[in-house]
Amino acid sequence: MEKKRSNFSSKLGFVLAAAGSAVGLGNLWRFPYLAAKYGGGIFLLVYLVLAITFGFALMITEVAIGRKTRLSAIGAFKKLDKKFGFIGIVASLVPVIIVPYYCIIGGWVTKYLGVFLTGGAKAASADDYFTGFITKPGEPLIWFVVFLLLTAGVVLVGVQKGIEKASKIIMPCLLVLTIGITVYGLFQPGAMDGVLYYLKPDFSRLSGTTVLAAMGQLFYSMSLAMGIMITYGSYMQTEDHLESSVRQIEIFDTVIAFLAGLMIIPAVFAFSGGDAAALGKGPSLMFVTLPKVFDSMAFGNVIGAVFFIMVLFAALTSAISLLETVVSIIHDKWGIERRKGTVIITLLIMLVGAPISLGFGVLDFIAPLGMSLLDFFDFISNSILMPIVAFLTCIFVGFVMKPKIITDEVEKNGKFKAKGYYSVIIKFIAPVCLIAILVFSILEALGMIVV
Ligand code: TRP
């Protein structure tokens, strides 16, 4: 009895820690704007299908690799097979690319918290408020640095534990508040059209880009194809049930993303007077629509402030683990000591982040592939590197190591219910689909096919 209880609590610890890293701006900011942009219901459907196939298989694989080798990505692949150590290195590039622009969005969240704390709901609800803000040269930079220093400060002072404990209380509160805002939004005139758009798939909008976007989002949101889950797996106890832990993390992450979409998309319909162009707003969606919702509420300033402080916490816990990951990568690779590493990386993030932040204003003439710098970095990591890492991982596990190495690890503590299903996905379905989608979307990005 005693043993069983402690097993349960340690498994819960693993699930909560992994979910804390997984749930962040990806769910609250990125998912809703992509769903809005790529056709609503069809994006949601593709996302769910990918989550129970690719997402499940890949997360099982990564956690099992970590638990088996007890190493993080770079070392883990090398230990399994010397020739394939490079997969770990490519995977490690992904968090390096994500971290600067993650902190820029974190900066936007911090700014909005400041706005609502100072009673600015009315001003923030104006149509061009957000664009006015991000195109300024100085202000977004300052908020980016504030958020970055908050993150780095936590890592340096080593108070993660405190932040993580707090987030275990704050995350459920965020969930409750999100549901509350959703319900309020659904009662606004016009919102039902939005619900329909979000839930009813329109198959005419199914394209390679939609699938690629959904897949990139899946990887991003669940912190897959970048070595993170390998690291988490390396801390997992062998007695814990791997398959059901992975299921729980996936369900948790997906529910939060789904709700964030349900909160924002119907509100876009209600507050834009049915203007479809509002759906394509991209990264700004959360910052344009939600302020309008808050402004229309009684006590909007208070509710807005509470909301953004919670989002800030979710963003901080993810940013902290991103920064830590990068620091530990340079530690493993070059032996740079933690504190020094944190300072160096923080300075580098400032250097790389500054042009990305300015990319909406003074540097907006730099538009690779017609994207803003932020979208471009996001595209490189999520739509190019992550599918490549995922593909290599599938080939490596499916044909070099053989799936048995993973299924044996999963079965160390009980049955692997989806074993046959897992092997087929990892060997055949996932690699073929990944290549097809990747080729298609590169052609599309280069303008060689038009959809
Ligand atoms: N999954 C996180 C989110 O949804 C973002 C993220 C991507 C992340 N890579 C990470 C978080 C690595 C921690 C570590 O916001």
Side-chain angles (χ1 to χ4, degrees):
M1 195 61 214
E2 201 39 52
K3 179 130 199 317
K4 208 161 171 34
R5 261 212 1 223
S6 77
N7 268 349
F8 174 68
S9 79
S10 63
K11 182 184 155 198
L12 190 67
F14 170 76
V15 171
L16 284 179
S21 143
V23 174
L25 292 172
N27 310 61
L28 301 163
W29 155 75
R30 204 170 182 277
F31 182 86
Y33 95 69
L34 287 178
K37 188 167 160 192
Y38 289 102
I42 190 69
F43 182 88
L44 185 63
L45 180 68
V46 172
Y47 184 88
L48 292 177
V49 170
L50 293 177
I52 53 181
T53 53
F54 282 69
F56 174 71
L58 212 62
M59 197 183 288
I60 290 267
T61 305
E62 295 196 5
V63 175
I65 288 180
R67 195 172 75 172
K68 183 171 176 61
T69 58
R70 298 272 169 227
L71 291 169
S72 51
I74 294 189
F77 281 100
K78 218 194 261 158
K79 182 167 174 187
L80 291 175
D81 188 326
K82 269 221 151 35
K83 285 200 293 291
F84 287 83
F86 75 96
I87 303 180
I89 297 177
V90 184
S92 303
L93 266 177
V94 175
V96 176
I97 297 178
I98 292 181
V99 96
Y101 82 79
Y102 203 88
C103 291
I104 289 172
I105 318 286
W108 297 351
V109 173
T110 320
K111 147 88 181 177
Y112 272 69
L113 171 61
V115 169
F116 282 94
L117 279 179
T118 50
K122 182 109 234 109
S125 70
D127 273 332
D128 47 9
Y129 183 84
F130 180 73
T131 320
F133 162 61
I134 56 167
T135 50
K136 276 187 211 155
E139 213 196 326
L141 264 185
I142 294 173
W143 289 107
F144 155 60
V145 173
V146 168
F147 181 83
L148 176 58
L149 291 181
L150 266 176
T151 307
V154 173
V155 174
L156 267 183
V157 182
V159 289
Q160 273 97 315
K161 290 277 168 296
I163 300 279
E164 272 156 30
K165 274 215 184 89
S167 81
K168 275 178 197 147
I169 303 163
I170 288 175
M171 293 303 278
C173 295
L174 177 67
L175 196 62
V176 173
L177 190 66
T178 301
I179 294 174
I181 298 168
T182 306
V183 171
Y184 174 83
L186 293 182
F187 280 102
Q188 303 305 306
M192 278 310 140
D193 291 338
V195 175
L196 219 61
Y197 178 79
Y198 184 47
L199 297 181
K200 197 164 153 247
D202 169 3
F203 285 91
S204 72
R205 298 209 43 187
L206 182 62
S207 77
T209 336
T210 309
V211 181
L212 184 79
M215 180 176 296
Q217 171 60 18
L218 176 74
F219 293 158
Y220 185 96
S221 183
M222 295 189 180
S223 311
L224 294 171
M226 54 178 107
I228 304 292
M229 284 298 156
I230 299 186
T231 308
Y232 275 97
S234 72
Y235 299 129
M236 188 187 195
Q237 306 198 356
T238 315
E239 307 88 71
D240 295 345
H241 201 289
L242 207 151
E243 186 183 10
S244 63
S245 306
V246 164
R247 279 232 164 81
Q248 284 164 12
I249 300 166
E250 285 211 306
I251 292 172
F252 198 73
D253 192 75
T254 307
V255 166
I256 305 233
F258 173 78
L259 280 175
L262 194 59
M263 165 174 72
I264 292 181
I265 293 175
V268 175
F269 274 74
F271 288 88
S272 66
D275 173 17
L279 290 170
K281 279 240 179 294
S284 63
L285 198 60
M286 172 173 162
F287 302 96
V288 174
T289 311
L290 283 179
K292 293 186 201 291
V293 179
F294 295 136
D295 183 47
S296 78
M297 289 172 149
F299 306 108
N301 275 306
V302 179
I303 298 171
V306 173
F307 178 79
F308 278 107
I309 202 163
M310 290 178 172
V311 177
L312 181 62
F313 253 86
L316 263 180
T317 51
S318 292
I320 290 163
S321 67
L322 263 171
L323 180 61
E324 279 233 313
T325 307
V326 178
V327 170
S328 77
I329 288 169
I330 66 164
H331 176 85
D332 290 355
K333 197 94 187 78
W334 295 289
I336 296 174
E337 177 260 332
R338 267 185 56 92
R339 278 174 175 274
K340 203 168 141 202
T342 310
V343 175
I344 296 174
I345 295 296
T346 305
L347 291 174
L348 278 177
I349 296 173
M350 278 186 202
L351 273 180
V352 180
I356 301 179
S357 172
L358 295 172
F360 292 100
V362 287
L363 296 182
D364 65 1
F365 57 90
I366 308 176
L369 299 175
M371 299 175 196
S372 71
L373 278 173
L374 191 147
D375 280 332
F376 179 69
F377 275 80
D378 190 82
F379 175 76
I380 294 292
S381 58
N382 299 298
S383 298
I384 305 283
L385 283 177
M386 288 180 184
I388 291 177
V389 172
F391 173 75
L392 292 172
T393 308
C394 292
I395 297 295
F396 178 62
V397 169
F399 297 95
V400 183
M401 301 311 296
K402 308 286 186 245
K404 193 168 177 331
I405 192 170
I406 303 293
T407 55
D408 282 354
E409 181 63 36
V410 179
E411 284 183 326
K412 277 200 175 141
N413 38 59
K415 224 171 129 46
F416 184 2
K417 286 196 216 124
K419 186 168 159 181
Y421 174 77
Y422 167 81
S423 306
V424 174
I425 292 185
I426 214 76
K427 277 183 94 147
F428 305 109
I429 300 181
V432 172
C433 295
L434 278 161
I435 281 295
I437 293 162
L438 196 60
V439 169
F440 189 92
S441 71
I442 290 175
L443 291 180
E444 215 174 70
L446 296 175
M448 294 169 76
I449 16 179
V450 186
V451 274

